[in-house]
Amino acid sequence: MTIRNRIALQFSLIVASILIAFSVLIYFVSDTYRREEFYERLKNKGRTTVRFLVEVNEVDQKLLKIIDRNTLTALFNEKVLVFDARNRLIYSSVDDQVIHYNVHLLDEVRQQKEVETYSGDNELIGLLYQQNGRDLVVLASAYDQFGRSKMENLRLTLGWGLLGGLSITIGLGIFFAGQSLRPISRINEQVSAITARNLRQRLDEGNRQDEIARLAINFNDVLQRLEQAFEQQRNFVSHASHELRTPLAALKSEIQLGLRRPLTVPEHEEVLVNLLSDTDRLISLTNSLLFLARTLESIQSVPFQPVRTDDVVFLAKDELLSAKPAYRIEIDYENIPQGETETLVNGNEGLLKQVMLNLFDNACKYSPDHTAQVRISTDSQVCRIAVHDHGIGISAEDRQHIFESFYRATNAMNYDGFGIGLSICARIVDLHQGTLSVESQPNIGSTFTVSLPHI
Ligand code: ADP
C-alpha cells in the first residue's frame, strides 16, 4: 500500500470512528429523552384517570371512558387499567380488546410504587395510588408513535450524514495526503535521474523550512560530498599516473642517451648515477602512494585508545631526527596543562605520529635553517600543537589547495616531495574529530596547527 493511501486510510478511520461514536451517542441520548418524556406523559395520564375515578363523584366509569377516548391528548394505542388491592380490574379505558396483565407486575408496582417497562412495542408505566386506605394500581400503556417516527427520521439523517461525511473524508484524505506527499514524489523523480556521471545535479530544496525540504538539503549535502570524493578519486588517479610518468620518462631518456654512442667510463658513471637518482625518486613515490592507499583503506578501522599527544610529539621528533640528523626540532609548552587529561586524546598513536612527522618534516624541509618550532598548548576543550617555521611560506592561493592530494605550491617545486603528506594529515586529523589549519606568509614562514579534543 502506498504511503498516500495509508495516510488517507488512517485519517478516514479516525474521522469515521469519531463520526460513528457521535452519531451513536446522539441517537441514544435522544431515545432516552424521548422515552423519559413519554413515560412522564403516561404517568400524568394514569394519575388523571385514577383521580377522576376515585375523587370526582360526578364522573362514573362510562363518562370516564368517554373522556379518555376523546381527549385531544389521547395517545396511540392508549390503555389505562386500574386494579384494586385484590388485583381485580376496576377500570379499563378500553372494552373491545382482550386485556392481558401480569400479576407479578402488579406486585412489583405495589413494592416499588412506580415501574417503567414495556408491553410489546408499547411503553408501560405502573403507579401505586393510595387514598383513604385504598391501594389502587394503575397501569397505563401506549405506543409513542410520534416519538418513534422522530427517532426513525433521526436514524435516517444520521445514517446518510455518516455516509456522506465518510465519503467526503476519504476523498479529502486522499487529496490532502497526495498534496503533502507531492514534494516527495518530485524528489523521487529527481533522485532517480542522478547517476555517477551527473553528480553535479542537485535536488530542489523548496521552501528550505519543512521536513521534506530538509531531506532535500541533507541529500544535496551528501551529493556534494560524493561529488568531491569522486573528483578526488579522479584527480588521484590522474595525478598518480602523471607523477609516475615523469621519472619513468627521465629514466627512458637517460637510457636512450647512453645507447646513442659508445660512452667513456666517467660518462657511464654519470648515466648510472642519474638512473639511480631517478629510480630512488620512483621508489619513494611508489612508497608514498602505497602508504596513502593503505592509510585511506585502513583509516576507518584503526583501534582508538587514550594517547598522550606530547609523548607523540617527542616520539615523532626522535624518529625524524634519527633519519635526518641535520634537522632541528624545538619543543615548548605554551602553558602548563591544568590536569592529567589535558594532553590526553582518544586516538591512534601511529596515525597521530604520522601527522607530526609530516608537519615537522615539511617545516624543516621548506626552511633554510631546517628548524621547526613546536608549541604545545591546552585549554578546557582541546589540546593544540602548533608547528612553526621561518621557511618559504605559502601564498593565499596555494593555501586553499595544499590539503588536496598531489598539490604542490609553485615555490616548492625545487624541493623533494609529491604533495601527498598534508592530504593524509588532514584525513587523520578529521578522523580524530580535530582541525588542521595553516597560517603563512610567503618568504616569512608558516604555522600549521593541529587541534584535538582532549578527554
Ligand atoms: P610535499 O611536502 O611532499 O610536497 P605535502 O602534502 O606535505 O607534500 O605538502 C603539500 C604542499 O604544501 C607542499 O608541496 C608545499 O607547497 C606546501 N607546504 C607544506 N608545508 C609547508 C611549509 N612548512 N612551508 C611551506 N610550504 C609548505
Side-chain angles (χ1 to χ4, degrees):
M1 192 189 273
T2 60
I3 294 184
R4 186 191 71 166
N5 289 351
R6 205 159 54 226
I7 293 177
L9 185 72
Q10 283 169 350
F11 176 63
S12 307
L13 279 179
I14 292 170
V15 177
S17 327
I18 296 172
L19 280 181
I20 291 174
F22 262 100
S23 304
V24 169
L25 188 76
I26 288 173
Y27 183 80
F28 280 103
V29 169
S30 306
D31 196 47
T32 309
Y33 283 143
R34 174 200 66 79
R35 224 172 31 241
E36 279 175 6
E37 199 185 327
F38 195 67
Y39 278 133
E40 201 51 46
R41 288 173 71 184
L42 279 180
K43 266 184 228 166
N44 288 340
K45 185 77 200 177
R47 275 194 203 111
T48 317
T49 303
V50 79
R51 260 193 219 128
F52 269 123
L53 190 69
V54 177
E55 292 173 21
V56 185
N57 291 333
E58 291 79 7
V59 179
D60 65 358
Q61 288 207 13
K62 264 190 189 158
L63 182 59
L64 189 55
K65 272 185 203 178
I66 295 168
I67 295 171
D68 266 347
R69 277 179 218 157
N70 293 291
T71 50
L72 284 173
T73 53
L75 302 166
F76 185 78
N77 215 357
E78 180 185 294
K79 201 196 289 179
V80 182
L81 306 175
V82 181
F83 296 86
D84 66 6
R86 281 196 261 155
N87 291 351
R88 277 183 312 207
L89 181 67
I90 58 166
Y91 173 76
S92 162
S93 63
V94 287
D95 44 20
D96 52 344
Q97 290 177 28
V98 187
I99 294 162
H100 299 285
Y101 63 91
N102 187 336
V103 183
H104 296 300
L105 177 65
L106 298 181
D107 293 339
E108 200 183 327
V109 174
R110 283 190 191 98
Q111 273 172 17
Q112 296 182 14
K113 295 201 169 130
E114 198 173 304
V115 172
E116 289 175 354
T117 178
Y118 291 92
S119 156
D121 275 350
N122 293 4
E123 267 88 4
L124 188 151
I125 182 93
L127 291 172
L128 180 66
Y129 182 83
Q130 292 170 308
Q131 177 96 28
N132 306 331
R134 287 180 76 190
D135 282 1
L136 300 178
V137 174
V138 187
L139 297 183
S141 77
Y143 181 76
D144 186 8
Q145 195 181 25
F146 180 63
R148 288 187 191 229
S149 104
K150 270 201 330 192
M151 289 312 294
E152 172 70 24
N153 285 342
L154 182 65
R155 230 177 4 244
L156 277 176
T157 314
L158 287 176
W160 283 112
L162 207 64
L163 215 66
L166 278 184
S167 319
I168 294 174
T169 309
I170 292 172
L172 286 181
I174 292 176
F175 175 72
F176 283 120
Q179 285 281 98
S180 343
L181 294 176
R182 189 168 297 160
I184 292 195
S185 315
R186 213 177 42 234
I187 287 186
N188 222 356
E189 280 164 24
Q190 292 173 3
V191 168
S192 38
I194 295 172
T195 61
R197 239 166 277 160
N198 65 350
L199 280 176
R200 263 163 204 279
Q201 198 160 321
R202 294 289 179 270
L203 302 184
D204 178 11
E205 292 179 358
N207 60 6
R208 297 185 59 87
Q209 303 284 333
D210 59 30
E211 290 81 354
I212 294 170
R214 259 180 269 144
L215 175 74
I217 292 172
N218 288 341
F219 194 82
N220 281 345
D221 276 353
V222 173
L223 276 181
Q224 169 115 18
R225 268 176 277 155
L226 269 182
E227 192 192 345
Q228 275 171 4
F230 266 76
E231 189 67 26
Q232 274 175 8
Q233 191 89 2
R234 259 200 299 272
N235 287 347
F236 179 84
V237 175
S238 77
H239 278 119
S241 24
H242 177 79
E243 291 291 329
L244 283 169
R245 224 174 41 191
T246 317
L248 281 175
L251 271 178
K252 189 179 169 191
S253 59
E254 293 285 346
I255 295 168
Q256 279 172 339
L257 207 70
L259 290 176
R260 204 170 287 162
R261 61 185 168 81
L263 298 178
T264 60
V265 173
E267 281 174 335
H268 256 130
E269 254 177 34
E270 197 191 331
V271 170
L272 285 176
V273 166
N274 286 343
L275 284 181
L276 186 68
S277 106
D278 285 341
T279 318
D280 276 347
R281 189 174 158 74
L282 210 54
I283 290 172
S284 147
L285 173 61
T286 322
N287 285 342
S288 302
L289 283 178
L290 210 62
F291 180 76
L292 178 65
R294 276 209 202 115
T295 321
L296 297 185
E297 203 176 275
S298 61
I299 202 164
Q300 302 294 341
S301 55
V302 288
F304 269 34
Q305 58 196 45
V307 178
R308 199 163 280 289
T309 38
D310 39 2
D311 287 353
V312 174
V313 168
F314 284 103
L315 273 177
K317 173 186 170 180
D318 293 346
E319 196 169 317
L320 187 64
L321 290 187
S322 68
K324 299 180 180 173
Y327 287 177
R328 270 169 60 86
I329 298 167
E330 296 164 0
I331 301 173
D332 204 0
Y333 282 90
E334 193 169 304
N335 63 309
I336 299 192
Q338 292 296 305
E340 279 280 294
T341 56
E342 285 209 344
T343 56
L344 207 60
V345 300
N346 190 30
N348 180 276
E349 191 181 273
L351 291 179
L352 288 176
K353 194 175 74 183
Q354 191 60 43
V355 173
M356 297 306 148
L357 275 173
N358 267 319
L359 296 181
F360 298 170
D361 188 34
N362 280 351
C364 298
K365 180 168 73 177
Y366 293 114
S367 43
D369 59 359
H370 299 309
T371 304
Q373 288 165 340
V374 184
R375 287 180 88 78
I376 302 171
S377 61
T378 56
D379 62 25
S380 59
Q381 306 281 318
V382 292
C383 174
R384 237 174 259 109
I385 296 122
V387 184
H388 179 71
D389 65 62
H390 298 105
I392 58 173
I394 311 162
S395 70
E397 159 70 19
D398 287 329
R399 273 203 302 275
Q400 295 174 12
H401 300 287
I402 51 171
F403 296 106
E404 294 167 13
S405 310
F406 299 106
Y407 188 87
R408 305 201 72 210
T410 22
N411 62 350
M413 290 307 176
N414 294 331
Y415 298 79
D416 275 349
F418 307 107
I420 293 177
L422 281 185
S423 70
I424 295 179
C425 291
R427 279 176 212 217
I428 294 175
V429 172
D430 200 41
L431 187 73
H432 286 77
Q433 264 128 41
T435 55
L436 172 58
S437 60
V438 58
E439 284 169 33
S440 183
Q441 277 191 353
N443 300 320
I444 292 185
S446 315
T447 306
F448 283 83
T449 309
V450 180
S451 300
L452 297 168
H454 62 67
I455 291 175

